[in-house]
Amino acid sequence: MIIAIEGIDGAGKNTLVTAIRKEIGADVLAFPRYETSIHAQLAQAALHGEMGDLTESPYAMATLFALDRHGAREDLLAYAGAGDRVILLDRYVASNAAYSLARTGDPAIVGWVRDLEFGRLGLPTPDLQVLLDTPPEVAEGRAKRRAQLDATRARDAYERDGSLQERTWQAYNQLASADWAGEWMVTSEAEEIIARLTR
């Protein structure tokens, strides 16, 4: 099974993924893969102002993040329909759709993201997508504290933009309400997700 944990920056995705992994022994993969993927590294550089005006194009940024995921495609396919094997994804395709919608305000872009990643790039659809229902103001406070405590976690252009985070939160809720690209649940409780996966 492929379980995608989604939410805005500072929502608590890593904490939740760690708790679920500890309980059910699932494998974990976090996107973007900054340490191993050139596409993720280029996106990161752009978000820290090192790639000129690249971040001005939602399509360019979405493509870099999509190519990062495509680099893990073969690994992900091993979990598609694999029965007892579970992988938890800290962000997946819906993050691209939500941030792209928040940046453009154009609902058509979520269809473009879906076609790009699940269609052209052949990524497997998740069995379940979980949206963390952390309010944007709470998430922003967490992201700020994280950056203060860890010099390697300096907030990027997306994380510093409170308005973008609010719009992305709204976009995520739209995707969840529509069961975009599969089934969704909205929660912040690891126990609810574990119960769902073990029933």
Side-chain angles (χ1 to χ4, degrees):
M1 294 181 69
I2 299 172
I3 313 299
I5 308 297
E6 299 285 357
I8 58 175
D9 295 300
K13 295 179 297 299
N14 186 280
T15 301
L16 189 73
V17 164
T18 301
I20 298 170
R21 178 186 193 178
K22 190 175 189 181
E23 188 66 29
I24 68 171
D27 294 323
V28 172
L29 180 59
F31 292 108
R33 299 174 304 138
Y34 292 128
E35 294 185 5
T36 60
S37 165
I38 185 61
H39 300 103
Q41 291 162 6
L42 291 171
Q44 183 179 45
L47 288 169
H48 286 280
E50 301 169 15
M51 300 289 288
D53 62 358
L54 181 62
T55 56
E56 293 179 18
S57 171
Y59 289 89
M61 293 300 292
T63 299
L64 286 176
F65 288 125
L67 289 171
D68 169 36
R69 278 184 283 278
H70 181 258
R73 178 178 178 270
E74 294 307 314
D75 293 334
L76 294 172
L77 287 172
Y79 294 89
D84 292 340
R85 293 188 67 194
V86 176
I87 188 166
L88 301 169
L89 304 180
D90 181 341
R91 289 197 188 282
Y92 195 43
V93 178
S95 67
N96 226 359
Y99 275 88
S100 297
L101 175 57
R103 294 191 66 203
T104 65
D106 180 4
I109 202 166
V110 300
W112 177 84
V113 168
R114 184 173 184 157
D115 178 62
L116 173 66
E117 299 212 40
F118 296 127
R120 290 181 178 196
L121 298 179
L123 291 171
T125 55
D127 296 284
L128 179 66
Q129 298 171 94
V130 179
L131 174 60
L132 299 191
D133 60 354
T134 307
E137 59 274 12
V138 173
E140 182 179 20
R142 288 177 181 169
K144 285 180 179 177
R145 281 191 301 279
R146 182 177 65 200
Q148 290 168 350
L149 296 172
D150 184 352
T152 67
R153 298 295 302 270
R155 295 193 303 153
D156 63 35
Y158 287 1
E159 292 169 325
R160 292 191 310 268
D161 188 339
S163 176
L164 174 63
Q165 293 297 313
E166 175 68 39
R167 295 192 311 274
T168 302
W169 167 241
Q170 293 169 4
Y172 264 129
N173 278 282
Q174 290 176 32
L175 296 175
S177 295
D179 275 336
W180 184 83
E183 189 176 352
W184 286 74
M185 68 183 293
V186 180
T187 184
S188 59
E189 300 298 326
E191 294 78 11
E192 288 185 31
I193 302 166
I194 292 165
R196 172 67 182 278
L197 297 178
T198 57
R199 70 182 181 200

